[in-house]
Amino acid sequence: MKESSLEKKIRKIAGRSLKTFRTLPIYIVLLLYPSLCFTTIKTLCIIANEFFFLQFFEKFGIFKIPVVHVDHPLDNKIPFTPSKVGVYLGFVRFWMQPLGMLLKRFGIARAAKFLKKWMRLFRGLYIYSGQVYKYKLSTTNRPIYKENSHFRTIHRFDPHYLCVPSLHIATVALAYGFYKKLFVDENFTEAEKSQWEKEIYDEAIEISETVLYIKQHSVNCIPAALYMVSENFSEYFSIQDAIKFIDDMFKFVEPEIDVKTEDIEKIRHHIHFVYEKFLLEGRACINWYDPVRRFLDNYESEPKEQC
């Protein structure tokens, strides 16, 4: 029996790691393909407005939004690990490389609808998080470390006012949910689902851990992000997904990194506690963001547990 065009494409990319798919074609398609260019431009404008302009207008005194420090004593249990910065900065590549796989598997015309759906979901993260950021900004005590170009770039382009909720965490969680659902909806083979879902999930966890390793976020930023995603994108990332995600963080810590097992358990417990607190409070609120705003209202006046 003659192979169909799709079967031929599936065979050609069978077994390939997602990290082997190039991102340059995705940039070109997103910006130049007729059905995608407007969606991409609109998404970039929303990101600029909700992330870059918001922070820099605050930094230069144009905005006067209150800034809350959301540090927690548990943050100090994870040592500052500059070597993790490359993983942290890979979060855009992380969600783009599977799009590269979709281009190879389906061709541009069919893959374009998946790219458009992702870009709309992606910009939704910035819109939803902006409902918290425009109410109160949040920050942490970030080390002044400029020993390599990665950190210099972070300090130059991120004034560090958008901590709760963490867009890094929200992005990788939503990307995992998006691709997991897509693999089912588009009848990917069992081999494809098994390999690529695991790759995406493992890297999502690895990237999420780096927000604490390089001190871009606090343990408080993680549950707020997972709550935002599970409340607003439950079709892709459920409460059960969020709970498992927390349980799987820091399961594997390199021997050279000095982290105690009991401290990891305390961190997981805290993230679970705050996430579940948001869920419970949210059931009595009109808006999803009300518990997060209340958290920021009360955080600096609340006593912190000593660890």
Side-chain angles (χ1 to χ4, degrees), residues 150-217:
H150 289 322
F151 279 98
R152 290 193 292 271
T153 299
I154 291 171
H155 286 275
R156 186 177 300 118
F157 293 107
D158 179 11
H160 198 50
Y161 290 129
L162 308 182
C163 285
V164 171
S166 163
L167 277 165
H168 242 73
I169 299 292
T171 298
V172 298
L174 182 59
Y176 163 68
F178 171 75
Y179 289 114
K180 180 182 178 183
K181 186 175 186 303
L182 181 68
F183 294 161
V184 174
D185 291 348
E186 296 302 319
N187 299 311
F188 276 61
T189 68
E190 289 303 315
E192 289 174 324
K193 285 189 284 189
S194 176
Q195 177 186 347
W196 290 334
E197 185 180 318
K198 184 179 187 304
E199 281 189 38
I200 292 169
Y201 186 75
D202 289 348
E203 190 169 3
I205 294 293
E206 184 182 16
I207 291 172
S208 296
E209 293 169 351
T210 65
V211 304
L212 298 183
Y213 278 124
I214 70 165
K215 304 303 176 183
Q216 275 293 106
H217 286 285

Side-chain angles (χ1 to χ4, degrees), residues 25-87:
I26 298 298
Y27 285 109
I28 295 171
V29 171
L30 286 172
L31 290 168
L32 299 180
Y33 195 70
S35 67
L36 286 172
C37 56
F38 177 76
T39 299
T40 301
I41 292 169
K42 184 174 180 180
T43 299
L44 292 174
C45 289
I46 288 172
I47 291 172
N49 186 59
E50 303 290 345
F51 186 84
F52 292 104
F53 293 163
L54 183 61
Q55 291 196 89
F56 281 100
F57 284 178
E58 178 75 19
K59 179 178 180 179
F60 296 124
I62 299 170
F63 288 166
K64 302 290 184 180
I65 303 171
V67 180
V68 179
H69 278 260
V70 292
D71 300 280
H72 189 279
L74 282 170
D75 297 331
N76 297 324
K77 301 300 181 181
I78 300 292
F80 178 54
T81 313
S83 61
K84 296 284 186 179
V85 70
V87 179

Side-chain angles (χ1 to χ4, degrees), residues 88-139:
Y88 173 84
L89 290 174
F91 90 110
V92 174
R93 174 198 50 75
F94 162 76
W95 60 256
M96 288 191 75
Q97 285 178 320
L99 295 179
M101 175 273 293
L102 296 179
L103 280 182
K104 291 288 188 181
R105 193 183 191 277
F106 293 111
I108 294 177
R110 189 173 171 193
K113 70 175 185 177
F114 307 132
L115 272 66
K116 177 174 283 192
K117 181 180 285 189
W118 166 252
M119 293 303 283
R120 286 174 171 170
L121 290 171
F122 184 46
R123 74 188 185 212
L125 292 175
Y126 288 80
I127 293 169
Y128 283 120
S129 60
Q131 293 173 324
V132 175
Y133 300 154
K134 290 173 183 175
Y135 175 73
K136 280 190 177 177
L137 298 171
S138 49
T139 191

Side-chain angles (χ1 to χ4, degrees), residues 5 38 40 62 117 131 146 149 154 171 175 181 240 253-254 277 288 304 307:
S5 174
F38 177 76
T40 301
I62 299 170
K117 181 180 285 189
Q131 293 173 324
K146 299 182 180 180
S149 60
I154 291 171
T171 298
K181 186 175 186 303
Q240 290 72 27
V253 178
E254 293 92 329
K277 184 171 181 285
W288 77 269
K304 308 298 180 292
C307 305

Side-chain angles (χ1 to χ4, degrees), residues 226-275:
L226 295 177
Y227 168 70
M228 179 179 74
V229 177
S230 64
E231 283 295 287
N232 295 295
F233 303 91
S234 58
E235 179 184 359
Y236 299 93
F237 192 81
S238 67
I239 293 171
Q240 290 72 27
D241 289 325
I243 291 170
K244 183 179 186 302
F245 199 91
I246 298 166
D247 285 337
D248 288 338
M249 290 187 70
F250 295 104
K251 272 191 173 179
F252 305 102
V253 178
E254 293 92 329
E256 63 271 19
I257 298 176
D258 185 22
V259 183
K260 296 179 181 177
T261 302
E262 56 266 35
D263 290 333
I264 294 296
E265 289 303 319
K266 287 179 182 178
I267 288 169
R268 284 202 204 100
H269 174 77
H270 178 81
I271 296 171
H272 272 300
F273 176 79
V274 177
Y275 175 73

